Amino acid sequence: MTYQPEHFLVWGELPVTDLDRSIAFYKAVTQGEVTRDDSGPNPMAVFQPKDMKTGIALSMYPGKPAVRGTGSTLHLSAQGALEDTMQRVREAGGEVVSEPIPLPAGRFFYALDLDGNSVGFFETK
């Protein structure tokens, strides 16, 4: 029997050193909504997908990121042309570390966020 879930990724958690600063960074870069939630035992910020019931969840929490560029890479959707997203990464204080990389489904590039977390930003066709 082969296990084939609808999504293998259920949710992701991204450790950041300054939650509010990271919320501002990811809102600026993705042009999406990221909301702070202090209702649980630890503060966190949640990326808001179109459908919270079936969308893949991603959150940030105050924590210790992996050494710069060595942790897992999360690939995120961002609004608009890839080159515009690259510029927003730079303007928000992140670092673009690759040129656009074409795939059959679209293009992406690698970047480092404010804490050195490895992130890919994806543009669909």
Side-chain angles (χ1 to χ4, degrees):
M1 183 196 292
T2 301
Y3 177 56
Q4 294 181 308
E6 185 169 340
H7 304 287
F8 267 101
L9 180 64
V10 177
W11 74 80
E13 294 181 342
L14 187 64
V16 298
T17 58
D18 184 322
L19 191 58
D20 292 324
R21 185 176 75 138
S22 293
I23 290 169
F25 173 83
Y26 281 101
K27 283 175 115 173
V29 172
T30 65
Q31 305 280 285
E33 190 59 37
V34 182
T35 57
R36 186 178 173 118
D37 182 349
D38 292 307
S39 66
N42 298 306
M44 61 188 237
V46 180
F47 290 76
Q48 300 293 310
K50 184 176 183 178
D51 182 352
M52 286 295 287
K53 291 181 181 171
T54 62
I56 308 284
L58 174 62
S59 63
M60 292 182 285
Y61 65 96
K64 183 178 180 185
V67 175
R68 180 178 165 81
T70 64
S72 299
T73 300
L74 299 174
H75 291 266
L76 307 177
S77 176
Q79 175 74 26
L82 200 62
E83 289 75 15
D84 294 340
T85 304
M86 295 171 92
Q87 185 60 34
R88 292 193 304 264
V89 166
R90 292 181 188 104
E91 289 171 358
E95 181 182 346
V96 172
V97 296
S98 79
E99 294 297 319
I101 299 166
L103 298 171
R107 303 181 305 155
F108 77 99
F109 69 94
Y110 289 107
L112 297 175
D113 73 4
L114 302 173
D115 287 305
N117 289 308
S118 178
V119 186
F121 291 98
F122 187 70
E123 169 194 76
T124 60
K125 287 185 176 182

